Amino acid sequence: MSPDGMWSIGELAAHAGVTVKTVRFYSDRGLLPEAGRSTGGHRRYGPEALDRLRLIRSLRTLDLPLPDVGRLLDREGALADALEDAVAGRLRDLGTQLSALRWREAALHALRDCAAAERADRLRLIGALSTPPSTAPMRRFWRRWLPPRLPAGLVGRIMELSVPEPPGDPTPDQVLAFARLHAFTTGSCPDGTRLRAEEYRSGAGGRPAVLYEGLGEAYDLAAAELLAGREPREGDALDCFVSAYALAHGTRDTPAFRRVLAGTLAAEPRADLYWQLTGELWGPARPTPGAADDWLRTALSVPAAGPEAA
């Protein structure tokens, strides 16, 4: 160190174990202020610059962008809290990047491991997805399907039950299932789905919120039956299912109503492919609302189902 207690740029670089170019780079970007200039116009740095330079290097090893490094240095007095926030944000970013890499890897396996004749079709399906993929098309699909003016909380619960999140570490089959689900929900009028939406809007007796609230409870009960491996039958799940429709139509659950309901539901268009693909993403441990609906419809058709007419 010179008699004035200052270092040249070369001396600072040597003490820090970095190149002069590195010191100049951080100085030019305002991260490493100079303490002054020599009579010859050369940069001079005080001893505190060494600790600051080491801190900058440490932050950069976390792959933090330079603007974030600058903000952290400006908050040096509260560095611990600021660093915690920066690390948490960086971990989120890395999680997204890792998820994208896993999706790309699984997508490549899905393309590599199929028959040559299928490869072009698979490429078109998978290529339509963002990486990692978005659930926005499925959410738009459900907003078109659901009756208007449902309470926001109810819509949120329906979305949670019906829209599969992309797996963080997908298999090639799951990538393909998600790609097919994306294609299904972005197609024009897939599988009569919009027709079914109109039937729900006009067929809920003017009380669609009552219908959907009751169906959610019935599907939960039916899912428990499915997980237990029970065949469709009478019981609480079926009673809840029929009650939802009866309440929506302002009538009672009677054998006659059940017969009419069974016929009405049997004639409805179905979005079976949606639930099949969702089931491939969720796996057998989580029955889909579509599987629960199938179980309940079958239970409704079991002979002598339902309470005695009053």
Side-chain angles (χ1 to χ4, degrees):
M1 186 174 291
S2 63
D4 64 358
M6 297 293 178
W7 279 325
S8 69
I9 190 170
E11 290 168 335
L12 176 58
H15 280 87
V18 300
T19 65
V20 169
K21 183 178 179 181
T22 297
V23 177
R24 185 175 290 113
F25 176 82
Y26 292 133
S27 292
D28 289 345
R29 279 153 183 79
L31 300 179
L32 189 64
E34 307 161 14
R37 294 265 176 160
S38 69
T39 55
H42 299 294
R43 305 175 199 240
R44 307 290 285 171
Y45 297 91
E48 70 281 354
L50 179 59
D51 287 338
R52 189 175 177 92
L53 180 55
R54 286 171 174 164
L55 179 57
I56 293 170
R57 295 286 292 166
S58 296
L59 293 171
R60 289 294 287 157
T61 62
L62 300 176
D63 202 24
L64 290 173
L66 286 174
D68 290 351
V69 172
R71 282 191 287 271
L72 286 168
L73 293 172
D74 290 341
R75 295 180 60 186
E76 191 169 354
L79 181 61
D81 291 339
L83 184 58
E84 181 180 359
D85 293 341
V87 169
R90 189 64 192 136
L91 284 172
R92 287 192 296 271
D93 293 343
L94 286 173
T96 300
Q97 292 171 25
L98 288 171
S99 179
L101 288 173
R102 293 188 190 106
W103 270 85
R104 289 186 184 125
E105 181 184 29
L108 289 170
H109 281 292
L111 292 170
R112 183 196 66 183
D113 298 339
C114 69
E118 298 178 53
R119 199 158 287 135
D121 286 339
R122 285 195 178 191
L123 179 60
R124 279 190 288 271
L125 282 170
I126 294 171
L129 295 176
S130 59
T131 306
S134 170
T135 60
M138 281 160 267
R139 293 179 180 278
R140 287 194 294 269
F141 169 86
W142 276 97
R143 289 189 182 97
R144 292 196 305 267
W145 186 347
L146 293 171
R149 295 182 295 281
L150 284 180
L154 177 56
V155 172
R157 290 196 296 277
I158 293 171
M159 296 284 188
E160 185 178 346
L161 286 171
S162 305
V163 176
E165 291 294 328
D169 189 7
T171 65
D173 286 344
Q174 286 176 317
V175 167
L176 196 57
F178 202 96
R180 287 174 172 152
L181 195 56
H182 177 274
F184 176 83
T185 54
T186 55
S188 58
C189 198
D191 199 26
T193 301
R194 292 187 186 174
L195 173 60
R196 189 178 185 207
E198 292 304 320
E199 290 185 359
Y200 264 129
R201 290 179 179 130
S202 62
R207 304 176 70 190
V210 172
L211 174 62
Y212 279 91
E213 287 279 10
L215 288 180
E217 183 179 351
Y219 290 160
D220 286 343
L221 294 171
E225 299 280 348
L226 283 163
L227 289 172
R230 298 191 184 100
E231 293 296 321
R233 58 176 186 161
E234 294 182 279
D236 290 342
L238 180 59
D239 290 346
C240 184
F241 181 68
V242 175
S243 177
Y245 281 98
L247 287 172
H249 285 81
T251 189
R252 295 183 301 117
D253 176 4
T254 66
F257 178 77
R258 291 193 177 207
R259 287 192 296 273
V260 171
L261 181 61
T264 299
L265 296 180
E268 274 189 349
R270 299 291 305 280
D272 290 330
L273 181 58
Y274 183 97
W275 297 120
Q276 174 194 326
L277 294 169
T278 300
E280 291 177 23
L281 288 163
W282 282 351
R286 184 180 176 185
T288 68
D293 191 70
D294 287 341
W295 190 96
L296 290 161
R297 289 170 186 243
T298 303
L300 185 61
S301 300
V302 172
E308 293 295 325

